[in-house]
Amino acid sequence: MSVGTGYGFCVVGELNPGALTAALAGCLGVQAADVEVAGEEYDPRTRHWDAAVSCGCAAAAGDVSWVLDVYATERVVAPPGSRDLARGLAAALGRVVVYEAQPYQSGACWVAVPDGRTVRGRLYDPGDVAGREGFVMDAVESPLPAFPGARTDFVYEALSFGQGRDFGQALRAIASALRSRCPEGRLELRGSLAGDAYDRYSDIDLLWTVPGERFAAAVAGAGEALAGALPLLTARSDPEFHDAADRRLLTYFFRDLPLFRRLDLDVRAATPAVGPVPTGGGWPLAVSALANAVGAVKAVRRGRDAETVRGLVERGGARVGVTERASGRWADDIARLVDAAERADPGAGELAGRVRELVTGQLG
């Protein structure tokens, strides 16, 4: 017996049944005549029971306007996932579309905006928030005009799914430390964590935008703020941006987090920076080489091609005097890189020891 595909969406704003029919048809690759949109007052005697796509549509109160229950039968060839269908509907309707983020819990959801972005949110069902009627969008990870009352915050329970609770707690500690240092600043996820393609090897990539008059202090104090939340292992600043008046890229490894969970903090001034801006730290070549070693382990575990892994190993080696080519026996090549980094800078010994443990644990 063939089984169709079900979807659950919420839509913000006015919704025309004809426009919804056309949007569903376009997104699911069927004719408009094969889509039925049924409101709460539908008459079962006149329903199009043979429709390829059916959509129940109910008015809602609070921060969303409509709840859609979409069902695509087996006549829909290669039905898209919820993310792709929500983005398609948002673009076609010019409306914000909220979709379920199962198997996340605690109301975690995704919000698709007409410009193609998707943003995590936390949407509570009617009655779940005291003193508020209807659905309540409690938080979104980036400010959205559709939800002016929502807080801007990361949805930690969603980000932690499949990563262990400790990851969400660590991210919360990092965000809290930076926000305490500059309450006027804005933190945003970047890289794979901003989407749904992240895994246990993903870095923590954050964009920290601060007022220009606070930029120098934010760069100078970021390490101290983070160290107060999570013990630091190393800190470095990318020299590519040392001459920039309004940007620094700072990288941190933490003692209590896996090495894969390094923080890449992109600090930018929202307005022209005021006063001299420090570099934010040095660029220890040994630490940089060890970061490449971690990246090479990650690339092997993710199944990247040999040239990608080789490039990481050899670029790291060049920073600490390794001239020989990588052999392709990755555990040996990376171990040699780690040894050379520690010889070049004994002060990087603790990080080198952690990387050796990583190589043994991940590559044998």
Side-chain angles (χ1 to χ4, degrees), residues 34 40 42 54 60 74 82 97 122 137 170 174 179 196 201 209 232 252 259 265 278 287 322 328 347 357 360:
D34 286 325
E40 294 174 292
Y42 75 88
S54 60
E74 67 277 4
S82 292
V97 177
R122 186 181 299 110
M137 186 63 79
I174 289 169
R179 287 170 177 153
D196 58 2
Y201 307 114
T209 305
L232 288 181
Y252 303 92
L259 294 180
L265 181 63
V287 172
V322 177
E357 294 173 359
T360 301

Side-chain angles (χ1 to χ4, degrees), residues 5 21 27 44 49 75 80 114 131 158 164 168 179 183 190 193 196 206 220 226 248 284 286 309 320 338 340 346 349:
T5 304
T21 298
C27 293
W49 294 107
R75 291 163 55 195
R179 287 170 177 153
R190 287 291 185 265
L193 286 179
D196 58 2
L206 292 180
L226 291 168
R248 291 292 183 275
V309 182
V320 289
V338 174

Side-chain angles (χ1 to χ4, degrees), residues 33-39 41-56 69 71-75:
D34 286 325
V35 177
E36 181 186 49
V37 173
E41 305 302 324
Y42 75 88
D43 185 343
R45 295 171 298 179
T46 61
R47 283 206 62 170
H48 181 10
W49 294 107
D50 294 329
V53 177
S54 60
C55 175
D69 183 12
Y71 180 75
T73 70
E74 67 277 4
R75 291 163 55 195

Side-chain angles (χ1 to χ4, degrees), residues 26 32-33 138 142 166 222 263 338:
D138 171 65
S142 294
D166 289 348
L263 170 63
V338 174

